[in-house]
């Protein structure tokens, strides 16, 4: 179920079976959970972007996401 909970908020609820299946997968894969099945060819750049949680979002936040610091 999905509902809008005011400006800028979207609540999503997943059935208990979704969480149970995910936990079973995590337990089954152990320390390999989340690792790619095949190594990527070439370099991979992972960048984490966080918007300021105390201020309004604006188009300027996109620059940091696309171009970085």
């Amino acid at each position: 179920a999905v509902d809008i909970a005011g400006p800028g908020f979207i609540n999503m609820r997943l059935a208990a079976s979704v969480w149970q299946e995910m936990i079973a997968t995590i337990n089954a894969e152990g320390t390999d959970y989340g690792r790619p099945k095949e190594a990527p060819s070439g370099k991979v750049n992972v960048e984490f972007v966080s918007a300021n949680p105390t201020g309004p979002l604006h188009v300027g936040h996109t620059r940091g996401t696309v171009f970085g610091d």
Side-chain angles (χ1 to χ4, degrees), residues 29 32-40 44:
E29 293 185 18
D32 288 332
Y33 178 75
R35 293 181 187 212
K37 305 299 182 219
E38 296 180 20
V44 175

Side-chain angles (χ1 to χ4, degrees), residues 4-66:
I4 306 300
F9 295 92
I10 301 173
N11 291 329
M12 296 181 277
R13 291 176 201 80
L14 301 176
S17 61
V18 173
W19 296 111
Q20 292 163 353
E21 184 178 329
M22 183 176 289
I23 290 170
T25 300
I26 293 168
N27 285 333
E29 293 185 18
T31 57
D32 288 332
Y33 178 75
R35 293 181 187 212
K37 305 299 182 219
E38 296 180 20
S41 60
K43 293 183 178 182
V44 175
N45 181 32
V46 178
E47 184 156 345
F48 297 93
V49 177
S50 177
N52 179 356
T54 61
L57 280 175
H58 55 77
V59 74
H61 289 98
T62 308
R63 187 209 63 82
T65 302
V66 175

